[in-house]
Amino acid sequence: MSDLARLKAALRRTAEDGLAPRGAEVFDRPEDGAAIILGHVDRSMLGRRLGFRFDDGTGFDCEASGRRLIRLLPPEPPGLEPAGAALFDGAELRPEQGDLLAATLVTLCGGRTSLRMSSEPLGDAADPSQGGIDTSGLFERLGQAPADLAQGAEGGDLDALVAEIGGDLLSGLLIDGEEVTPIRGDGEDADRISPWAVDAVERLLAPDFPLAMALETDGIMAFGLKGSTERHLVVAGRLGRLLVGVVSGADPAETLVRWQRARR
Amino acid sequence: MTPNELSQFRSRLPHCELAVYADIRSRLVLATDGALRYPQEYLDALCACAAQLFEGIPDYAGQAVEQVLFLGPTGGRAFFRAESQPDEALCCIFGPGAGVAELTAQAGAALSAGGAA
């Protein structure tokens, strides 16, 4: 990797931690600009307030959660027809407003060539758990696909990870929203993993934990235990689905290698 | 771990972009070595992240978490609690091509050497 590429990669990771402003994202057509906006919504599993600023200084804020655009926040940006401007009233968006929303995003990107996105977590009280408009339908209205998330959108990577760990997965839980599925739920580890998972996931997905979004969207975290030669712990996320597990062996690095293999 | 020891540790790991040695109890960065000059707020955030992990993640079967490895598509973070100084931790940011096993081995060696010094 060249020094320049290394620098760019380091800056990108810094931006992902929310500690540096993201660079401008350039688009040729208004539809492409709208797709960039939806792409950021599509990567927002946890509740986030997203801000978009165009190259001419105009912009807007919105709330996103669970890959859905929940609401557009006032004030509305200039240049919109009354119907489109009315969407920026802070009320929860409804599915029947999808066509108007997609058209409004395209209108907003018209005559503009780039945008910058900023992101901050929503507090617990404001974190919407449902409602809004799913991004998949909005992408369809734009005639585009969320290419970077299409593969594994059903959480297949976690199933591949479970298969890769194989019999070394002593016990685990697959968490998909409010649905929790035990994996190999026998023995003392099966009794211990659930309470540990409750406490650990609450902290790892807390709005103020900087790796929460990356972990829940597409990441793995492995925990080595002091003095343990028998087991370590793992939390892996893929598009809102989580695997929490106890893995045989003391080396958490080995589980990260398995995660990499499962993605190939 | 001294700044010199931290620098030597990172020099053995070409994909390690930043190494920070920190007191997680006081959230104080004690030493840092990076491929870039990172702003203090970024170092503080990494230190706070280590504190959230080591102070917030519960024990399992009476065993405390002493090492946390995070990996995503664009790279990862590693946090190692110093055995001889449980309030101190080595924190690393590494790129996607890093050998995590080598990183953990080097971290263990560096912390042992630092503790013995």
Side-chain angles (χ1 to χ4, degrees):
Chain A
M1 181 184 283
S2 69
D3 288 344
L4 180 58
R6 194 185 300 276
L7 172 63
K8 287 180 177 176
L11 292 175
R12 187 173 62 244
R13 275 187 286 283
T14 304
E16 285 170 352
D17 281 350
L19 295 165
R22 288 174 176 268
E25 297 177 88
V26 179
F27 50 88
D28 294 328
R29 304 181 306 141
E31 291 81 1
D32 297 334
I36 291 172
I37 293 170
L38 290 181
H40 288 297
V41 174
D42 205 38
R43 287 186 282 275
S44 299
M45 299 306 303
L46 302 173
R48 314 284 293 183
R49 177 172 175 148
L50 305 178
F52 297 98
R53 296 293 173 268
F54 296 103
D55 47 293
D56 63 357
T58 63
F60 69 95
D61 294 341
C62 65
E63 289 181 2
S65 177
R67 306 180 72 194
R68 300 185 310 278
L69 185 50
I70 305 298
R71 67 184 88 246
L72 298 171
L73 302 174
E76 76 274 14
L80 293 175
E81 297 292 327
L87 292 175
F88 291 82
D89 60 358
E92 191 170 290
L93 293 162
R94 302 184 304 277
E96 60 269 26
Q97 294 175 305
D99 287 335
L100 176 60
L101 175 60
T104 300
L105 293 178
V106 172
T107 300
L108 280 172
C109 295
R112 286 142 185 164
T113 58
S114 69
L115 61 81
R116 292 174 185 269
M117 191 277 290
S118 61
S119 169
E120 60 184 79
L122 291 173
D124 286 338
D127 194 354
S129 59
Q130 57 185 2
I133 301 178
D134 190 278
T135 50
S136 59
L138 295 170
F139 276 116
E140 286 178 13
R141 289 176 173 92
L142 296 175
Q144 304 208 28
D148 60 335
L149 289 176
Q151 188 174 5
E154 300 304 317
D157 285 350
L158 289 186
D159 298 326
L161 176 61
V162 170
E164 184 69 36
I165 297 173
D168 286 340
L169 184 62
L170 301 174
S171 186
L173 304 168
L174 268 174
I175 304 170
D176 190 353
E178 295 182 354
E179 185 177 327
V180 179
T181 306
I183 306 170
R184 298 188 191 108
D186 298 325
E188 59 186 18
D189 285 313
D191 296 331
R192 290 173 177 154
I193 190 61
S194 288
W196 186 86
V198 169
D199 288 345
V201 169
E202 183 179 11
R203 286 166 171 80
L204 294 173
L205 300 187
D208 65 341
F209 183 61
L211 297 175
M213 194 172 177
L215 177 62
E216 189 182 44
T217 304
D218 190 10
I220 184 169
M221 194 169 275
F223 302 85
L225 299 170
K226 184 177 175 62
S228 175
T229 58
E230 298 176 351
R231 57 176 64 81
H232 62 277
L233 302 164
V234 61
V235 177
R238 178 63 176 160
L239 299 179
R241 243 177 135 215
L242 289 174
L243 167 69
V244 183
V246 188
V247 182
S248 178
D251 186 8
E254 174 60 24
T255 297
L256 267 63
V257 173
R258 286 168 158 168
W259 180 79
Q260 290 174 312
R261 279 202 297 262
R263 297 166 60 81
R264 291 179 188 141
Chain B
M1 179 179 277
T2 66
N4 190 44
E5 289 169 337
L6 189 68
S7 178
Q8 289 177 359
F9 159 73
R10 201 181 71 80
S11 70
R12 290 190 285 268
L13 299 162
H15 291 281
C16 181
E17 296 163 358
L18 174 65
V20 170
Y21 193 67
D23 185 320
I24 53 176
R25 182 174 290 268
S26 61
R27 308 286 207 271
L28 184 66
V29 173
L30 303 173
T32 178
D33 189 80
L36 304 171
R37 177 179 285 187
Y38 288 81
Q40 186 63 42
E41 64 178 344
Y42 190 74
L43 305 177
D44 291 343
L46 191 64
C47 175
C49 186
Q52 285 175 286
L53 288 166
F54 289 124
E55 294 176 350
I57 299 299
D59 294 357
Y60 182 84
Q63 294 168 313
V65 171
E66 68 171 4
Q67 175 183 146
V68 183
L69 306 175
F70 168 77
L71 193 58
T74 61
R77 314 278 189 277
F79 305 90
F80 307 91
R81 196 165 203 160
E83 192 169 346
S84 59
Q85 303 282 345
D87 289 342
E88 297 177 3
L90 173 61
C91 317
C92 305
I93 294 180
F94 54 89
V100 186
E102 175 68 9
L103 176 70
T104 56
Q106 292 289 349
L111 288 172
S112 296

